[in-house]
Amino acid sequence: MQVTENQFYMLKDIHVLTKVGSKGGCLPLKDALIYDPKELRGLQDNDYVKAVTLMMPCGGEVRGFKLTRKGEWTLRKLEAKYRLDSLDAAIQLHAERHCLTPDQVDILRDIYHFCRLSKSGGIFPRKEAEAGCRADDLEFLYLHGYILKIQSGDSSGKKEKGFILSNKGEDVVCDVEAPRERGYCSP
């Protein structure tokens, strides 16, 4: 499928909204109403975006759309084609690491890296989390907004449940991993 210019801007908007903490890392359904439903459905049918449901610690849900790996790759490719500014200039937030244990930081790092594996579909599966992490650590991270519970479904009806990092959790991981990338040793 050839992505139209309108669909490119839809992908761009979805990508930008993933950086907005109040949107839960996705384009909410109510915000998606401004787009042509046929074009959005075309992106979903061709695996550029997927429908997600995020459960928040307060009990609320955010339903919306999130980019798939194919969508992210296509966006980068088209961005170069249109010679636009990079979308990776995210707002830097200050992490609140002082209240986390080393085990909790390790869980955040595990989620961060696992979600980048192509087999995971961008989700740290609930089964993996329950097998490898303490339940009280996961609950703490969820209740304090470092991770979000996610339920994802694609057009074939396959559902996945698990966790993703919130912007707050991703900032902690970036703060921890940045010194290692620069060659510094952690204390």
Side-chain angles (χ1 to χ4, degrees):
M1 171 189 151
Q2 180 83 15
V3 175
T4 66
E5 188 173 346
N6 286 341
Q7 288 174 327
F8 165 73
Y9 286 110
M10 291 168 67
L11 292 173
K12 180 182 171 189
D13 290 346
I14 293 170
H15 179 75
V16 169
L17 285 174
T18 61
K19 305 297 181 190
V20 179
S22 63
K23 301 291 184 183
C26 68
L27 173 71
L29 284 176
K30 65 180 181 175
D31 294 338
L33 294 175
I34 65 171
Y35 301 113
D36 181 9
K38 291 179 185 176
E39 290 194 8
L40 187 59
R41 186 65 180 172
L43 289 173
Q44 191 176 5
D45 289 343
N46 289 291
D47 196 34
Y48 292 109
V49 299
K50 62 182 175 181
V52 296
T53 303
L54 299 173
M55 281 69 75
M56 300 296 181
C58 64
E61 289 184 352
V62 176
R63 294 177 187 266
F65 299 95
K66 188 173 183 172
L67 288 181
T68 62
R69 295 244 183 253
K70 181 180 178 183
E72 289 175 5
W73 181 82
T74 302
L75 179 62
R76 287 189 188 117
K77 185 173 128 183
L78 291 174
E79 184 181 51
K81 177 181 174 186
Y82 289 118
R83 299 177 192 260
L84 296 175
D85 294 335
S86 175
L87 297 176
D88 294 328
I91 297 170
Q92 296 296 321
L93 300 174
H94 296 287
E96 300 171 2
R97 288 190 335 194
H98 63 277
C99 66
L100 297 178
T101 67
D103 289 339
Q104 291 168 339
V105 173
D106 284 343
I107 291 171
L108 293 175
R109 292 176 64 213
D110 289 345
I111 293 172
Y112 177 83
H113 291 293
F114 194 92
C115 289
R116 273 135 187 84
L117 297 174
S118 59
K119 71 174 185 174
S120 75
I123 297 174
F124 187 62
R126 184 179 293 176
K127 291 177 185 176
E128 295 276 338
E130 291 170 352
C133 306
R134 290 184 22 205
D136 58 336
D137 283 339
L138 282 173
E139 190 67 18
F140 177 87
L141 293 171
Y142 174 65
L143 291 175
H144 287 87
Y146 291 98
I147 60 175
L148 301 171
K149 292 180 182 177
I150 186 168
Q151 177 178 341
S152 173
D154 58 15
S155 56
S156 67
K158 180 182 172 188
K159 297 214 181 237
E160 298 177 39
K161 293 181 180 180
F163 300 95
I164 60 171
L165 287 180
S166 67
N167 289 344
K168 185 177 177 181
E170 196 166 331
D171 288 339
V172 171
V173 173
C174 289
D175 284 349
V176 169
E177 303 234 341
R180 291 181 184 189
E181 291 173 3
R182 292 186 205 119
Y184 301 123
C185 296
S186 61

